[in-house]
Each structure stands twice: as C-alpha cells, then as structure tokens.
C-alpha cells in the first residue's frame, strides 16, 4: 500500500495548513524553525522524509511578524533540507506567490522578479509549485522550469456571490483592462451558476510613478449589481476607484471579489470609505492589517483549504487538476 503524502506547514501559514490537513484527514508533520540572535534562522523537518512525497505550505505575503523576504527564505531553506534528507518529491504549496506582479520590464533596467523567484525555487530542488490566482498565469507558467500547478478561487466565490445577489441583474467588472480575462472567466462561471445572462465591463486604469489615473468605464452598469473582480487587494485604491466610478454611472449595488487580501496600512480607510457593499476574499493570506470592524461588517473571508486539499490529494495520486472544479462540486 503506498504511503500517504507528508504535509508540512511553516509557522507563518500554520493555521491555513491545519485547515488543509483537516480536509485531507492527515496530521501536519512536525518541523522546527529556530531563530538566532543575529537575525538568521534555520528550518528543518523533525520526521523522516526519505523517499516520501512531501508538500510544504507557506503563503508568501508580507503580513504578520515575518516579512515577505523572510518567509521566502525560510521556505527555500526548508525545501533544501527536505531534498537533502532524501525526500522523493517536494511540492511547494504557495497560496499567495510573492513578486508575481513584476513579471516583465516596464521601465529600462527593471528586474523581472517572477523569473528570479522561480530560479530560487529551482536551485533548492523544488519539484513542483502550486499556487492560487497568480497575477499573470502565462508569466508564472513560463518562468518556472519545474512543474507548475494553478488553482482558481472563482469556483468557490461564484456560489457565494450567487447566493448574495439573488435575482439581481448582474455585471462583472474588471478594475483595469489587464484583468479582463480574469473577470471574463469569473463571469462565465457565474453565468453558469445563475443560469442567466451576466454582463461585463471594465474601468480604465493607468499607473505611472505610483499615481493611478483613468476614468473611462466601458459597459452598462446603471441599475445593476456590479461584481468587481481582481486577484488581490493591497492598498485598496484600485477597488475604491472602480466602485466609485460604478456608483457614479448609476450602479444599484457594488460588490468586490479578490482572492488575496494583502491589505496595506491604508487599505482599511479606503475600503471603509469606498461605496462597496461587501468585499469577499479568500483565506490564502491572514487579513492581519485590516481593522477588525471591517471584518465584522464589510469584508467576508471565504475558505479555500478544502479545494487545496483536494488538489494535493490528486497530485499525490497522479491525478489531474484540470477538472477539479467540476469534480469537486464547485
């Protein structure tokens, strides 16, 4: 009988890891993360991993006491320790993948950070990386030479949104032209769930020197419920601008869906003031920086650990993730 997969969750993602482990019916394997006085640290498994199929969960966001760079290094060192200890296959389970927004040169001498992060994972022997709603799917798949897997939270969100909007006439809107493909996939899924037509729209957005501009709204939103769809919320400016433009154009209700709630220090104020009825995020990143009052009212966290757990079960058994949404009932 083949051995069960071995599942680790580093400290910064321990809570999410526990939810994934519970959904898989497995215990989390023991590990150590030790800090030294000079700021260095080490990470190692405390269980035998030789010839095992190992999965390591670590979301690479900047929330919590560990910064994004420290989380990345801890994960890389741990993967290296697993491979050196004889693990047969190591999959990095990274619900939020850092530096994925910088996937091309937009100014002279710009770094292509996505490619450099991929090289780091490859250097320590990572066999496969699994993430969710990465910023640019094509850039992610092209950057890595090891295996890549990708999950989309829209399959979870659309059921929640369908219950929220009832019989409203609905439009799905991208807050910028670059996100129209993502919004279109969400629109198609929502249309399938609702069994009726769902419209589409987008808002113009230009960014230069950290300043966001653009006011054009393409699509009919007057009298309709608008669902703004994006991969993440950081400062909240993009969502707030798009929501305000929709309300100016006569939208009856405005809701937002974003997989990763990164939430910088200013996000609470912007979201509280924005004409958004509700904001739905996944639990890929703990919303530590968000005001508790917003979590009790406007911002709603949706769990995706069961979907991740099913993906890991399929990877371990050599199955496909292509039909995960349909087979898993989303």
């Amino acid at each position: 009988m083949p051995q069960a997969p071995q599942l680790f969750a580093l400290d910064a993602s321990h809570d999410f890891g526990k939810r994934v482990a519970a959904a898989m019916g497995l215990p989390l394997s023991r590990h150590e993360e030790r800090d030294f006085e000079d700021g260095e640290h080490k990470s190692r498994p405390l269980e035998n991993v030789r010839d095992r199929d190992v999965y390591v969960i670590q979301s690479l966001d900047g929330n919590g006491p560990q910064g994004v760079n420290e989380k990345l290094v801890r994960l890389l060192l741990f993967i290296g320790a697993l491979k050196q200890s004889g693990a047969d296959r190591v999959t990095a389970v990274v619900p939020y993948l850092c530096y994925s927004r910088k996937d091309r040169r937009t100014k002279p001498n710009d770094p292509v950070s996505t490619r450099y992060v991929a090289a780091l994972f490859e250097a320590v022997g990572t066999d496969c990386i699994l993430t969710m709603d990465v910023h640019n799917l094509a850039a992610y798949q092209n950057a890595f030479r090891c295996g890549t897997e990708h999950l989309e939270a829209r399959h979870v969100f659309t059921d929640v949104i369908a219950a929220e909007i009832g019989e409203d006439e609905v439009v799905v809107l991208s807050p910028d032209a670059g996100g129209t493909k993502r919004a279109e996939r969400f629109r198609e899924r929502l249309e399938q769930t609702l069994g009726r037509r769902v419209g589409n729209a987008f808002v113009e957005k230009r960014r230069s020197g950290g300043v966001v501009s653009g006011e054009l709204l393409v699509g009919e939103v007057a009298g309709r419920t608008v669902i703004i769809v994006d991969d993440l919320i950081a400062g909240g400016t993009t969502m707030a601008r798009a929501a305000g433009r929709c309300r100016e154009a006569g939208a009856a209700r405005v809701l937002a869906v974003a997989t990763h709630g990164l939430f910088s220090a200013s996000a609470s104020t912007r979201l509280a003031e924005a004409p958004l009825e509700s904001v739905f995020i996944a639990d890929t990143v703990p919303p530590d920086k968000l005001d508790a009052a917003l979590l009790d009212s406007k911002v709603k966290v949706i769990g995706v650990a069961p979907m991740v757990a099913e993906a890991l079960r399929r990877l371990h058994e050599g199955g496909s993730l292509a039909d995960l949404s349909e087979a898993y009932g989303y």
Side-chain angles (χ1 to χ4, degrees), residues 6-7 11 45 48 57 124 136 175 207 250 253 264 292 309 314 316:
Q6 210 161 359
L7 182 64
D11 291 348
N48 182 17
I57 298 173
V124 295
N136 183 327
R207 186 189 297 273
R253 302 170 66 193
S264 67
R314 289 175 176 229
H316 175 66

Side-chain angles (χ1 to χ4, degrees), residues 257-307:
V257 172
T259 303
H260 310 294
L262 303 183
F263 300 131
S264 67
S266 59
S268 290
T269 300
R270 290 197 182 102
L271 292 179
E273 295 174 350
L276 286 163
E277 181 178 313
S278 297
V279 178
F280 297 88
I281 61 170
D283 60 346
T284 55
V285 175
D288 297 338
K289 298 178 183 177
L290 202 64
D291 286 350
L294 277 177
L295 285 172
D296 290 336
S297 57
K298 184 176 283 191
V299 178
K300 306 180 190 308
V301 182
I302 309 301
V304 295
M307 188 178 195

Side-chain angles (χ1 to χ4, degrees), residues 62-97:
N63 291 5
Q66 296 176 9
V68 58
N69 296 327
E70 182 174 351
K71 289 178 182 177
L72 175 60
V73 172
R74 284 176 184 258
L75 177 57
L76 293 171
L77 294 181
F78 191 75
I79 291 171
L82 289 168
K83 294 298 289 188
Q84 188 170 308
S85 299
D88 178 55
R89 184 177 70 163
V90 177
T91 299
V93 183
V94 186
Y96 174 71
L97 179 61

Side-chain angles (χ1 to χ4, degrees), residues 67-185:
V68 58
N69 296 327
E70 182 174 351
K71 289 178 182 177
L72 175 60
V73 172
R74 284 176 184 258
L75 177 57
L76 293 171
L77 294 181
F78 191 75
I79 291 171
L82 289 168
K83 294 298 289 188
Q84 188 170 308
S85 299
D88 178 55
R89 184 177 70 163
V90 177
T91 299
V93 183
V94 186
Y96 174 71
L97 179 61
C98 62
Y99 295 110
S100 60
R101 284 178 281 179
K102 194 58 186 157
D103 53 37
R104 65 190 184 282
R105 285 182 170 174
T106 54
K107 293 184 178 180
N109 303 320
D110 262 0
V112 185
S113 303
T114 300
R115 183 154 50 86
Y116 310 152
V117 169
L120 291 172
F121 276 101
E122 292 155 14
V124 295
T126 309
D127 295 288
C128 180
I129 183 165
L130 180 145
T131 190
M132 177 171 282
D133 284 327
V134 74
H135 186 68
N136 183 327
L137 180 57
Y140 162 69
Q141 292 171 332
N142 288 331
F144 284 84
R145 298 297 173 263
C146 63
T148 56
E149 299 289 350
H150 185 255
L151 301 177
E152 298 190 27
R154 73 177 188 272
H155 306 302
V156 181
F157 283 126
T158 47
D159 281 350
V160 177
I161 290 295
E164 185 80 14
I165 61 181
E167 298 301 318
D168 295 355
E169 191 173 359
V170 187
V171 172
V172 171
L173 179 140
S174 172
D176 56 54
T180 53
K181 289 184 179 179
R182 180 185 303 108
E184 176 60 17
R185 291 194 298 271

Side-chain angles (χ1 to χ4, degrees), residues 37-49:
E37 292 182 354
D38 61 358
E40 293 184 3
H41 47 75
K42 75 171 183 179
S43 305
R44 67 184 179 115
L46 294 178
E47 299 184 17
N48 182 17
V49 298

